[in-house]
Amino acid sequence: DVARSTVAYEQDILDGLHWLGIDWDEGPEVAGQPARGPYGPYRQMQRLEHYDAAAKKLLAQDKAYYCYCTREELDADRQAQEAAHQPPHYVGRCARLSAADRAAKEAAGVKAVVRFRVGEELVKFDDIVRGQVEIDTTALGGDLIIVRSDGTPLYHFTVCVDDAEMEITHVIRGEDHLSNTPKHILLFRAMGATVPQFAHLPLILNPDRTKMSKRKSQTAVADYRAQGYIPEAFVNFLALLGWSSGTEEEIFSLSELGERFTLERVQSGGAVFDKERLEWLNGQWIRKLSDDELTERAMPFLASAVAARGAAGEAVRTPTADDLAPLMPMVRERMSTLAGVGDMLDFLFVDDLRVEPSMLVPKKWDRATTLAALTAARQVIADVGEVSFEADELEAPLRQLAEERGWKVGDLFMSIRVAVTGKTATPPLFDTLVALGYERTLARLDAARAALEA
RNA sequence: GCCCCCAUCGUCUAGAGGCCUAGGACGCCACCCUUUCAAGGUGGAGAUCAGGGGUUCGAAUCCCCUUGGGGGCACCA
């Protein structure tokens, strides 16, 4: 459909498949690779002559005919049918036009569509996931239009012409096409082509169990990518919607899926897209990545989180992969999406961190205690000194400080944590301090003390 | 309205007549670990297998009906 298709949509689809790691032996070009396969071209707009030839052939055999009904006539038919509680269908007004009738319409300049004769029969087929399916062709809505009045072909027709010419053996698609299948079978038979095997997959559902839609759910692969989901997890998650291995394993890579997936084990009931489960799987797969791999993938998310704070008016330093790589061990099991690095580490790249004074005070403490604690902690850390500024060296003296003053370690550590990061949930404190560095740790403690005194 | 499909914990599912007093996973709740948050570990709540009839010695599993849900019926794909 020329009006609805754009190169941008096409690119989205190809990019999505490529990102997921899905490749093909035959089909259009992707990611710089040329199109491959003996039956190209693989774009319908470039195959118009094929559809045209197929339509002419059906016309010549009287398996299809020209129809001159106007939209007004068809609308009127439909309204009458609705009023009579009948299913919408084409009444067949032009099914038996004489040559003279046709000539008259043509002379009057009426543009014709091409309709395929549907006839009356019970079409049966053996669907790989659903088994035997039977549909009466009288329920199909009458003779169907295969070519528009402007000469362009319609979907049901194009897919059959393509599948026939490309010698497609298996048509695997969503359940929403199940009722359309008899139309396709009729078309294949009329063209003298072998009818392929069909497998109708369960639909992916919105939480309200309706067919997943843009309106109610996030449906673009690119959006999940942008939110920090990784393809390993996404593919795994999708595969588990309607399919299971039959064992209790559920973490599968694409290549494992390639070996183990069978249509026979696909379920027929629809499956709700459960984002929490996706998130869990994403965390599982993130934990499998190497530090380098994870650093590379997470880098853009850190950069944009920092940039966002910069845009909000804070003074920031742009992070580099060298900054991020050593931090990976302390954040990897804390992130369920790549975007998590932003929330956990952005504070490291803010130069003028300002913390709400009220936030600095731990729940069971008051302002004075907090000020005293931060002052004492600053002294202890300064005493450790720049040379020994390491996680192992910091922990013992700070614990000792808490004990001497009768403070709960958790409270003391929390006050330092907030003073230095502006957050209550962070990676382990001492690693965080080290990542921040000696100078900046002291500076932030001083800034926090000043804020409390103000 | 007509046609088609579907039906096991909230969700994803295992289950192809006895192994099921229905198993696993996500989520949830406890507890352990623990400086916060996670991760991890242990345990728990959670499904009279939509309901009703059959068939059978025996049914979540087979058949029928009902109910519920979904999808399809375009000069969209």
Side-chain angles (χ1 to χ4, degrees):
Chain A
D1 183 347
V2 184
R4 277 179 34 161
S5 317
T6 70
V7 259
Y9 290 155
E10 180 193 294
Q11 202 51 50
D12 265 1
I13 294 168
L14 293 176
D15 287 349
L17 289 169
H18 184 241
W19 178 70
L20 290 169
I22 293 171
D23 203 354
W24 43 87
D25 309 304
E26 181 180 355
E29 74 281 0
V30 63
Q33 305 255 36
R36 49 186 99 141
Y39 298 108
Y42 295 100
R43 261 183 204 81
Q44 295 188 327
M45 277 310 288
Q46 294 159 207
R47 300 179 60 77
L48 294 177
E49 61 213 65
H50 294 78
Y51 311 129
D52 199 46
K56 290 235 162 62
K57 206 167 156 189
L58 290 176
L59 248 8
Q61 297 172 137
D62 195 39
K63 289 174 178 167
Y65 60 87
Y66 287 109
C67 169
Y68 299 89
C69 293
T70 62
R71 307 224 184 210
E72 291 70 31
E73 288 174 303
L74 296 174
D75 285 346
D77 290 346
R78 211 160 295 149
Q79 279 176 25
Q81 287 155 4
E82 199 171 318
H85 298 296
Q86 288 176 328
H89 62 278
Y90 178 58
V91 295
R93 202 169 10 246
C94 299
R96 304 283 167 218
L97 252 33
S98 67
D101 291 336
R102 278 215 303 277
K105 292 285 188 183
E106 294 286 346
V110 183
K111 290 282 186 196
V113 299
V114 177
R115 280 188 191 269
F116 173 68
R117 293 190 196 280
V118 166
E120 283 183 31
E121 73 173 291
L122 188 64
V123 177
K124 300 180 188 176
F125 60 99
D126 193 30
D127 189 277
I128 299 173
V129 340
R130 270 146 229 280
Q132 191 75 16
V133 178
E134 302 182 354
I135 297 177
D136 200 303
T137 57
T138 54
L140 263 35
D143 297 340
L144 68 121
I145 299 177
I146 56 176
V147 180
R148 294 184 183 86
S149 52
D150 68 2
T152 58
L154 272 91
Y155 171 80
H156 293 303
F157 182 51
T158 57
V159 292
C160 292
V161 172
D162 291 340
D163 289 349
E165 291 184 8
M166 294 178 185
E167 298 185 33
I168 297 301
T169 57
H170 291 70
V171 173
I172 304 168
R173 52 168 39 160
E175 192 202 331
D176 46 352
H177 277 300
L178 192 60
S179 334
N180 291 323
T181 304
K183 293 177 187 170
H184 300 167
I185 290 177
L186 258 24
L187 247 5
F188 282 118
R189 298 214 282 237
M191 294 190 290
T194 307
V195 179
Q197 284 246 263
F198 292 97
H200 286 91
L201 271 20
L203 258 22
I204 299 178
L205 273 25
N206 294 308
D208 66 2
R209 305 204 74 89
T210 55
K211 178 165 102 169
M212 199 180 195
S213 64
K214 245 182 213 164
R215 274 192 51 123
K216 294 180 182 170
S217 305
Q218 181 178 305
T219 54
V221 172
D223 291 344
Y224 288 93
R225 179 183 188 175
Q227 285 170 11
Y229 292 95
I230 64 175
E232 290 88 337
F234 207 73
V235 163
N236 193 162
F237 173 72
L238 253 19
L240 260 17
L241 251 29
W243 175 86
S244 69
S245 68
T247 70
E248 281 178 1
E249 302 160 87
E250 48 192 0
I251 307 289
F252 297 108
S253 67
L254 220 208
S255 71
E256 286 169 328
L257 287 167
E259 282 167 28
R260 305 182 58 165
F261 186 92
T262 58
L263 286 170
E264 285 71 18
R265 284 197 61 82
V266 172
Q267 282 218 300
S268 29
V272 173
F273 189 103
D274 179 5
K275 210 169 169 184
E276 306 227 47
R277 196 171 156 82
L278 203 213
E279 203 161 311
W280 171 75
L281 270 170
N282 207 56
Q284 295 294 315
W285 279 101
I286 279 178
R287 271 159 239 140
K288 284 173 179 280
L289 297 178
S290 68
D291 283 350
D292 286 351
E293 185 64 38
L294 187 51
T295 299
E296 192 184 323
R297 298 205 209 181
M299 199 51 227
F301 290 88
L302 211 214
S304 77
V306 171
R309 293 189 69 153
E314 294 179 277
V316 298
R317 178 171 72 78
T318 304
T320 67
D322 288 339
D323 291 322
L324 183 54
L327 305 174
M328 228 62 259
M330 75 188 213
V331 296
R332 72 166 339 117
E333 73 249 24
R334 270 165 253 269
M335 52 200 277
S336 60
T337 68
L338 297 176
V341 282
D343 302 330
M344 284 186 286
L345 300 174
D346 59 349
F347 69 87
L348 287 172
F349 305 92
V350 174
D351 287 332
D352 58 346
L353 188 77
R354 288 175 299 255
V355 183
E356 243 341 273
S358 61
M359 234 188 118
L360 288 163
V361 183
K363 279 191 198 106
K364 288 172 186 165
W365 281 12
D366 56 23
R367 216 163 158 127
T369 311
T370 307
L371 181 56
L374 290 179
T375 304
R378 193 225 186 264
Q379 189 54 247
V380 168
I381 293 169
D383 288 346
V384 168
E386 187 157 15
V387 183
S388 304
F389 195 70
E390 282 165 37
D392 293 346
E393 305 286 336
L394 288 162
E395 182 161 357
L398 283 167
R399 277 184 187 280
Q400 199 188 327
L401 170 66
E403 194 172 334
E404 284 168 8
R405 301 296 196 93
W407 295 325
K408 290 192 71 176
V409 262
D411 291 331
L412 173 63
F413 289 2
M414 182 54 84
S415 66
I416 301 171
R417 168 178 295 112
V418 176
V420 144
T421 67
K423 300 169 197 279
T424 53
T426 69
L429 183 59
F430 308 109
D431 293 321
T432 302
L433 296 183
V434 172
L436 199 55
Y438 180 73
E439 294 292 345
R440 293 205 294 162
T441 295
L442 294 186
R444 288 189 184 190
L445 288 171
D446 289 339
R449 289 161 61 213
L452 282 171
E453 278 170 336

